[in-house]
Amino acid sequence: MRVMTAFFATTVLLAGSPVSSFAPPHTHSTQQQGAISTRPSIMVPPTTTSSLNVVVPDLDVVALVAGQENYGLAIVAVGEALWSFLQAPSLDHAKVLVPATISAAILGLVSGPMITSGDASQVATGLTIATIVSVLLGATYVARMLAPFSPSPKEIAFLGLLAAVAGFFSFSQNLLVDGFVTLPSIRLPSVDLPF
């Protein structure tokens, strides 16, 4: 308990103290009505594309994390479809199994092995395929929720939609953060703030 209290107290002290106590501030002088005042500068030096760090993804970590998410989305899609079908089993209601089966097959047999391969180009292609599948799977859940009649409760389709949206954000985040896809950047002018 004492260790936790000491840790909490240290955290509060560090969080409550100004940043200037840890690093010397960059100051500049300004002439205001004959008096010289020194104040911290909040100007951030402009960066160029040559000074940016090159992102080198750790493919083992990407393969582990994105691979689990990929196979997890396939399992959730099939589980949701089976649960929905078993709530009201009929030949007409078997159509809920089709998108989940196709999605699980693509995620499990195509994008999954590509993501876990360890080759950067295959990982990027696998993540792209998984992102597209999650968008299409989410669209099928939206279509099921918008249907006027459903033999099974629509709440489970909404949970499937949440899983598809989470899959989309996860796969697209891996594509962007790990540097497989780069977005264009806009150079903004620097502005000197008056305070």
Side-chain angles (χ1 to χ4, degrees):
M1 184 67 178
R2 289 181 185 173
V3 172
M4 292 297 286
T5 305
F7 175 74
F8 178 73
T10 305
T11 305
V12 169
L13 287 175
L14 292 176
S17 61
V19 175
S20 61
S21 65
F22 296 109
H26 299 286
T27 59
H28 66 277
S29 298
T30 58
Q31 190 77 8
Q32 294 178 355
Q33 297 177 350
I36 297 176
S37 67
T38 304
R39 60 184 175 177
S41 173
I42 58 173
M43 289 293 297
V44 177
T47 58
T48 61
T49 55
S50 62
S51 68
L52 297 177
N53 293 333
V54 176
V55 177
V56 179
D58 184 1
L59 293 178
D60 292 335
V61 174
V62 173
L64 177 67
V65 174
Q68 288 177 351
E69 294 164 351
N70 183 67
Y71 293 121
L73 181 59
I75 292 169
V76 168
V78 170
E80 184 278 328
L82 285 174
W83 188 87
S84 293
F85 177 72
L86 293 176
Q87 292 301 308
S90 68
L91 189 57
D92 183 49
H93 193 53
K95 61 187 172 197
V96 299
L97 296 172
V98 174
T101 305
I102 293 171
S103 298
I106 293 171
L107 291 171
L109 300 175
V110 180
S111 68
M114 293 177 88
I115 291 173
T116 57
S117 70
D119 179 30
S121 64
Q122 285 194 357
V123 170
T125 305
L127 286 171
T128 304
I129 292 170
T131 303
I132 293 168
V133 168
S134 64
V135 168
L136 295 175
L137 187 62
T140 64
Y141 290 132
V142 169
R144 281 178 48 196
M145 289 188 302
L146 293 177
F149 173 73
S150 176
S152 61
K154 293 183 180 184
E155 289 84 358
I156 191 68
F158 179 72
L159 293 177
L161 175 64
L162 290 179
V165 168
F168 167 76
F169 282 118
S170 173
F171 299 136
S172 61
Q173 178 185 5
N174 280 314
L175 280 170
L176 293 173
V177 171
D178 293 328
F180 296 116
V181 174
T182 55
L183 298 175
S185 61
I186 300 172
R187 294 188 57 105
L188 297 175
S190 61
V191 176
D192 188 19
L193 300 175
F195 50 87

